[in-house]
Amino acid sequence: MDKKIAIVTGAARGIGKAISQQLIEDGFFVLAIDMAPIEWHKSGELYDYQLDLCDQTAVEKTVEEINERFHGVDVLVNNAGITRDAMLGEMLSSDWDMVLDVNLKAVFMLTQQVSKLMLQKGEGSIINISSIVGTDGNIGQTNYAASKGGVISMSKGWAKELARKGAQIRVNCVAPGFISTEMTNELPEKVIAFMEGKTPLGRMGSAQDIADGVAFLASDKSKFITGQVLKIDGGLVL
Ligand code: NAD
């Protein structure tokens, strides 16, 4: 395989699909991970792995398989994420656990395995999809804010830890604002209009807006950038 290898999680739809398509266009061979089947790709374009990222045994087995087949990983995009919103007083502890498991613990588990391969190579780029809710909080998103804030601080720690002994392993976050995907399309029209009104650039972002930022952080054009949070939000949080 002469192409660079990029793992993208949550690749079946939305932002993960756009990231995968952009990285394929940029010359990467993409390994797409999702619980759902990847229905959008043409055969030969990527490899897909259908698994629950919260299943530690499945994650470890998948990374082992990837290493046997592809001998390393150049880019890891931790994109899979969920919401289970409720006001603080009503939030179920099961919803707290579920959001923290998918958005934070699963990112730790996959990165733990993949970073070992990057350390063997001495290089790599890890991009974690956080959210402006992780930097600035939001009403009704206690669990989501905690998980996405955790992703940012974890990433900054990894940016320091994984670059020791000269390794060129970079770790950055992308923090999307309000982006049009299946996740947000479920929101009432009124909420969408309100959020667009609050965004200086006057619209929801597209999945492609996020994919463009991720592609930059995956490429050598960002080779001296690590430990950063790139907000892509049309100016929503200023
Ligand atoms: P989405 O719901 O459209 O897609 C998420 C994908 O992740 C789905 O294909 C789903 O099957 C997969 N997934 C979820 N849990 C999984 C698990 N345990 N194992 C394997 N796959 C799993 O979401 P999206 O809007 O494309 O969001 C992608 C990322 O961007 C998420 O991390 C989200 O929190 C973040 N984000 C989105 C927005 C937005 O406005 N859409 C804003 C800020 C941040």
Side-chain angles (χ1 to χ4, degrees), residues 9-16 33-36 51-54 78-83 102-103 106 129-132 144 148 175-184 204:
T9 71
R13 64 181 206 176
I15 293 172
I33 300 181
D34 207 298
M35 266 184 341
L51 63 134
D52 179 354
L53 288 156
C54 296
N78 285 301
N79 163 78
I82 58 166
T83 52
V102 176
N103 294 5
I129 308 301
S130 175
S131 167
I132 53 165
Y144 188 75
K148 293 298 190 180
F178 199 46
I179 309 300
S180 176
T181 67
E182 286 87 339
M183 189 188 249
T184 45
M204 288 179 91

Side-chain angles (χ1 to χ4, degrees), residues 148-235:
K148 293 298 190 180
V151 162
I152 291 172
S153 45
M154 195 161 72
S155 302
K156 290 186 178 182
W158 290 340
K160 295 176 187 175
E161 184 175 328
L162 295 175
R164 286 174 312 156
K165 300 183 192 153
Q168 295 299 299
I169 299 175
R170 303 182 293 109
V171 188
N172 292 289
C173 287
V174 168
F178 199 46
I179 309 300
S180 176
T181 67
E182 286 87 339
M183 189 188 249
T184 45
N185 293 346
E186 289 162 11
L187 294 168
E189 288 266 307
K190 222 171 63 181
V191 176
I192 293 177
F194 174 73
M195 294 304 291
E196 284 178 338
K198 272 184 55 171
T199 304
L201 290 180
R203 63 168 176 93
M204 288 179 91
S206 66
Q208 186 61 43
D209 291 326
I210 307 307
D212 288 338
V214 170
F216 166 67
L217 291 171
S219 77
D220 284 349
K221 299 236 185 247
S222 59
K223 62 178 181 293
F224 202 51
I225 298 177
T226 194
Q228 301 305 306
V229 181
L230 176 60
K231 284 183 187 165
I232 303 180
D233 68 347

Side-chain angles (χ1 to χ4, degrees), residues 25-55:
E25 206 178 305
D26 292 351
F28 286 90
F29 192 80
V30 169
L31 311 181
I33 300 181
D34 207 298
M35 266 184 341
I38 313 286
E39 282 167 350
W40 52 265
H41 73 100
K42 303 184 207 89
S43 71
E45 214 172 42
L46 58 69
Y47 249 76
D48 57 322
Y49 296 87
Q50 202 174 340
L51 63 134
D52 179 354
L53 288 156
C54 296
D55 178 345

Side-chain angles (χ1 to χ4, degrees), residues 2-167:
D2 52 356
K3 290 186 171 195
K4 284 192 170 182
I5 302 292
I7 295 179
V8 180
T9 71
R13 64 181 206 176
I15 293 172
K17 175 180 165 185
I19 292 170
S20 303
Q21 290 175 333
Q22 185 59 53
L23 292 181
I24 289 169
E25 206 178 305
D26 292 351
F28 286 90
F29 192 80
V30 169
L31 311 181
I33 300 181
D34 207 298
M35 266 184 341
I38 313 286
E39 282 167 350
W40 52 265
H41 73 100
K42 303 184 207 89
S43 71
E45 214 172 42
L46 58 69
Y47 249 76
D48 57 322
Y49 296 87
Q50 202 174 340
L51 63 134
D52 179 354
L53 288 156
C54 296
D55 178 345
Q56 182 155 15
T57 312
V59 168
E60 287 174 5
K61 201 170 138 258
T62 303
V63 176
E64 244 177 66
E65 267 177 46
I66 287 173
N67 196 33
E68 276 165 23
R69 193 182 283 265
F70 298 100
H71 313 293
V73 172
D74 300 289
V75 169
L76 168 62
V77 185
N78 285 301
N79 163 78
I82 58 166
T83 52
R84 291 290 181 279
D85 298 348
M87 290 306 201
L88 176 57
E90 279 87 52
M91 186 165 283
L92 302 174
S93 81
S94 55
D95 282 343
W96 166 273
D97 289 344
M98 188 181 284
V99 169
L100 269 290
D101 278 355
V102 176
N103 294 5
L104 189 60
K105 191 174 177 192
V107 174
F108 149 69
M109 290 196 304
L110 180 60
T111 308
Q112 185 176 51
Q113 299 308 316
V114 174
S115 64
K116 289 178 190 167
L117 309 184
M118 289 181 171
L119 282 166
Q120 279 168 16
K121 259 193 165 178
E123 59 185 28
S125 174
I126 299 170
I127 300 140
N128 295 326
I129 308 301
S130 175
S131 167
I132 53 165
V133 175
T135 56
D136 290 72
N138 196 22
I139 294 169
Q141 293 200 298
T142 296
N143 48 4
Y144 188 75
S147 69
K148 293 298 190 180
V151 162
I152 291 172
S153 45
M154 195 161 72
S155 302
K156 290 186 178 182
W158 290 340
K160 295 176 187 175
E161 184 175 328
L162 295 175
R164 286 174 312 156
K165 300 183 192 153

